[in-house]
Amino acid sequence: MAYELNQEECLALQAKLDEFVRLSDSSSTLLCDKGGAVLVDSGSDAENDLMAALTAGSFAATRELARTVGEEDFEAVYHQGENRNLYIAGMCEEVILLAVFEKENSQVGLVRMMARKLRREVNHVLDQMANKQEVVAEDPTVSFVLKK
């Protein structure tokens, strides 16, 4: 089962994500569901579908690692590269953030702080969804169905 997102809700999430990119100095970012489907993106990389699928898999593996060491969950995962960094964080039970940022343009502390703000905003948008009714999705791994 999945929840339906209408155009207004997608636009609200898009505006929040665009603001996150601007405030965090990220180069690209996306929100995906736990099945790896892209909900919205900003400043996109060319391979968003692949990035979303890998993000969902990484986040699921990290969640299991947390449980293995006695934690309910880890808030976020940070991958540091030579030039680019990744920050992956759960926004709610169903939504995951992937932020890509360049070392010379931003710092993980700023991205983390803005991700916490974004989490509150995403949850507010999802809490305000008028169509909380579950729908059957063609793909059983998706959490949201985008209504056209």
Side-chain angles (χ1 to χ4, degrees):
M1 297 301 274
Y3 293 100
E4 185 178 271
L5 281 177
N6 64 34
Q7 184 177 8
E8 182 180 314
E9 293 154 350
C10 287
L11 290 173
L13 290 174
Q14 184 69 58
K16 301 298 182 191
L17 196 61
D18 290 343
E19 179 184 40
F20 169 83
V21 167
R22 185 179 56 79
L23 295 175
S24 69
D25 291 324
S26 295
S27 55
S28 66
T29 189
L30 60 83
L31 291 175
C32 65
D33 69 10
K34 67 181 182 181
V38 176
L39 300 176
V40 292
D41 58 25
S42 186
S44 310
D45 278 333
E47 299 193 33
N48 270 352
D49 290 336
L50 175 60
M51 295 286 284
L54 292 171
T55 295
S58 175
F59 198 74
T62 299
R63 180 171 281 159
E64 291 308 311
L65 279 171
R67 291 180 181 145
T68 300
V69 298
E71 292 290 328
E72 185 175 322
D73 202 356
F74 289 136
E75 179 181 318
V77 179
Y78 169 60
H79 296 283
Q80 181 177 349
E82 189 172 322
N83 299 307
R84 299 179 98 189
N85 302 314
L86 303 177
Y87 186 82
I88 302 170
M91 297 285 100
C92 64
E93 184 66 30
E94 301 293 330
V95 180
I96 304 166
L97 165 72
L98 168 65
V100 179
F101 59 101
E102 319 300 323
K103 274 190 168 180
E104 65 271 2
N105 295 339
S106 190
Q107 296 182 2
V108 69
L110 176 61
V111 173
R112 182 176 166 196
M113 182 177 68
M114 292 296 103
R116 286 181 174 165
K117 177 181 183 288
L118 179 64
R119 179 184 298 122
R120 290 188 301 274
E121 294 171 346
V122 164
N123 282 303
H124 180 74
V125 170
L126 296 178
D127 287 344
Q128 299 300 312
M129 285 174 48
N131 53 350
K132 286 281 194 179
Q133 185 173 352
E134 290 189 43
V135 296
V136 177
E138 291 178 21
D139 180 351
T141 65
V142 300
S143 301
F144 297 95
V145 174
L146 305 179
K147 182 180 179 185
K148 297 181 181 189

